[in-house]
Amino acid sequence: AMDDAVDVGVDDAMRYPIIASMVSRVNALVAISLVFILPTLLVQDAVFFLTFLFIGWTLLFMTQTMVNLISMLAVDRCHRPNAVAFLMLISHILGDVPLPVILGLIKDKLAPSCRVGPSGDFADPKQCEAEEAGIRQSLAIAYAWVLWTLLFYELCRRFAKREIGKARAEEHNTLLLQEEEDDGSREDSAFAYYHSQFQPAGFNQSAGGDESSPRNGRDNQ
């Protein structure tokens, strides 16, 4: 169904304009989501923390559909399945597989008393409360990872704009060539018409004259 949605009304000439437009919207959603997520580093109330976190991550996850469409529009039709597969692979490698482990090691370094033991309890609950700053720093590092998306989405938008510029330059050159050909054909037509109406003396049919010209009519009379 998603591939059908991409195919409807979209030809190759419109791929990059659509990509540039959609990437701008994705960047806007990511920026707005960060506006809601970053205040959770400062708030103390659990209700505000969970509310802002819910709104921020919901806005962030709303970009997934557009990202899938962009990945399919960025390649030829025959490569779209590979593009989606590659997108999922990279998202899992950079988001699911090593990152939680790395963030866990960072949190254990910044707040060692907040390590969770086999029983499910903190290693030192009282000391863990005193290491709240380390927990918030760990969250800040996790949130900062999202900033990479703003960079790569902006690069994607610039690449799309460059392809749009190339297409416009080629279209402009094609129009100029067509105008030159049209001007040349009009000049040839005017030249032929002039000689058909005003033939020099002694110009006959065997030499390529025109029987319908006024001079030939007078000579025949």
Side-chain angles (χ1 to χ4, degrees):
M2 186 179 298
D3 191 45
D4 294 338
V6 175
D7 287 339
V8 174
V10 177
D11 55 10
D12 291 338
M14 293 298 297
R15 282 168 50 193
Y16 293 107
I18 293 175
I19 290 174
S21 176
M22 294 183 68
V23 168
S24 300
R25 289 168 170 78
V26 170
N27 255 350
L29 276 177
V30 173
I32 295 172
S33 68
L34 289 176
V35 171
F36 285 94
I37 292 174
L38 294 178
T40 60
L41 298 174
L42 303 175
V43 296
Q44 299 291 333
D45 187 78
V47 175
F48 284 102
F49 179 87
L50 294 176
T51 301
F52 276 70
L53 199 65
F54 172 78
I55 296 174
W57 286 110
T58 300
L59 292 173
L60 193 62
F61 291 149
M62 286 172 60
T63 63
Q64 189 61 45
T65 300
M66 288 187 287
V67 171
N68 288 333
L69 292 175
I70 291 169
S71 66
M72 288 190 289
L73 287 173
V75 298
D76 295 332
R77 294 174 184 269
C78 60
H79 297 307
R80 285 178 182 175
N82 292 334
V84 175
F86 181 77
L87 176 65
M88 297 303 296
L89 176 64
I90 295 299
S91 64
H92 284 300
I93 290 177
L94 297 180
D96 296 346
V97 180
L99 188 60
V101 177
I102 295 174
L103 291 176
L105 294 175
I106 294 174
K107 190 269 296 179
D108 290 344
K109 183 69 176 179
L110 297 177
S113 299
C114 296
R115 294 179 179 176
V116 178
S119 62
D121 298 328
F122 293 123
D124 190 346
K126 292 184 178 180
Q127 185 63 26
C128 180
E129 293 180 2
E131 295 175 351
E132 178 184 353
I135 297 295
R136 293 186 181 272
Q137 290 175 9
S138 301
L139 283 176
I141 294 172
Y143 296 164
W145 191 255
V146 182
L147 296 176
W148 285 106
T149 60
L150 295 175
L151 173 62
F152 287 110
Y153 289 151
E154 178 61 21
L155 289 176
C156 178
R157 188 188 68 84
R158 290 178 181 270
F159 289 148
K161 287 288 187 180
R162 186 183 65 179
E163 294 298 327
I164 294 172
K166 290 181 180 179
R168 288 178 177 174
E170 292 177 358
E171 182 180 0
H172 181 68
N173 293 334
T174 302
L175 290 175
L176 288 178
L177 292 175
Q178 184 176 359
E179 290 178 359
E180 291 177 358
E181 291 177 357
D182 293 341
D183 292 340
S185 62
R186 285 195 294 267
E187 291 176 359
D188 294 340
S189 300
F191 182 82
Y193 176 78
Y194 174 83
H195 280 275
S196 67
Q197 299 298 325
F198 303 98
Q199 295 178 0
F203 190 83
N204 53 30
Q205 179 69 20
S206 61
D210 187 359
E211 293 181 351
S212 63
S213 65
R215 183 163 186 101
N216 281 344
R218 290 194 298 268
D219 294 339
N220 292 333
Q221 291 177 358

